[in-house]
Amino acid sequence: FVGKTNMIKRFLHNEFDSNTKETVGVEFGCKNFTFGPHEHIVKTQLWDTAGQERYRSLTKAYYKGAKGALIVYDITRSSTFENIDNWLLDLKTNGEKDVLIMLIGNKSDLIERREVNTDDAKTKAEQYNIAFFETSAKNGENINKAFYELVKEVYQANADREQSNAQIEENNGDGINLV
């Protein structure tokens, strides 16, 4: 257990459940954000996919269409960190080519049990050119910040893409049509 479900519970409801069971398949949640000068409301859909190998073929289907992804490992279990390359490969192979990815080291409240060095995680994030945060679903440290930053990056990337599309359509003389 790396704590993805409790991260989402903390983010959506400011709750933590120490008796959370492993996710079987996929769970779902939503939250709205307001961004930009015109205060666009952005509805996010959060898919909590199972991390166990036996569910991997099922969870791969949820990568299609995803605009952002959090790859989460447990700082107290180095084996979860060692799987990051595999998760990133799955995401790159089965997801959208422009998906924005963030690496999250969860359980930062358990510093005395740390097995994964923060500098190693930062190096891994730099290797893949992705953002990195350490979080604690238990005490809420950096949970909102990590989700907000990912959603903000996705919003900005989509706004830039829409602006680019508008420029192209404007140059074609067809007016501006944003979808």
Side-chain angles (χ1 to χ4, degrees):
F1 302 105
V2 298
K4 296 185 308 291
T5 299
N6 268 316
M7 286 177 64
I8 291 174
K9 283 182 182 181
R10 175 65 71 186
F11 178 62
L12 294 177
H13 311 292
N14 199 25
E15 295 174 355
F16 178 84
D17 180 1
S18 59
N19 296 315
T20 299
K21 305 289 186 246
E22 75 180 31
T23 302
V24 176
V26 177
E27 294 184 24
F28 173 78
C30 290
K31 186 166 185 166
N32 291 340
F33 289 86
T34 304
F35 288 109
H38 302 291
E39 296 190 355
H40 292 137
I41 296 173
V42 178
K43 180 179 181 179
T44 60
Q45 298 176 356
L46 306 170
W47 297 91
D48 178 10
T49 59
Q52 294 75 25
E53 184 65 37
R54 65 181 173 255
Y55 300 114
R56 211 143 183 184
S57 62
L58 170 70
T59 59
K60 287 178 184 180
Y62 289 89
Y63 298 164
K64 278 288 181 217
K67 301 295 182 197
L70 300 175
I71 304 289
V72 183
Y73 69 93
D74 176 347
I75 70 160
T76 70
R77 290 180 27 234
S78 59
S79 62
T80 63
F81 183 74
E82 292 162 5
N83 282 326
I84 289 170
D85 294 326
N86 294 330
W87 287 111
L88 284 164
L89 179 61
D90 276 357
L91 189 56
K92 297 272 186 195
T93 303
N94 298 290
E96 302 299 318
K97 67 177 176 61
D98 58 349
V99 65
L100 292 167
I101 304 168
M102 185 177 287
L103 180 62
I104 303 290
N106 194 35
K107 302 187 183 180
S108 62
D109 57 292
L110 300 175
I111 196 77
E112 70 284 350
R113 293 178 33 204
R114 178 184 290 277
E115 289 184 7
V116 180
N117 183 296
T118 302
D119 289 336
D120 292 340
K122 286 180 181 177
T123 299
K124 178 71 73 177
E126 288 169 4
Q127 173 188 345
Y128 287 102
N129 196 30
I130 59 178
F132 167 72
F133 282 92
E134 282 195 346
T135 63
S136 169
K138 186 172 187 176
N139 68 24
E141 177 187 10
N142 285 334
I143 295 292
N144 289 341
K145 185 175 182 180
F147 277 100
Y148 179 83
E149 287 299 317
L150 182 62
V151 173
K152 184 174 83 173
E153 285 184 36
V154 168
Y155 170 80
Q156 188 60 53
N158 284 333
D160 291 348
R161 201 169 14 259
E162 286 179 6
Q163 180 64 32
S164 176
N165 289 341
Q167 298 278 333
I168 290 167
E169 292 203 22
E170 186 176 48
N171 291 338
N172 288 336
D174 296 332
I176 297 175
N177 219 359
L178 299 179
V179 180

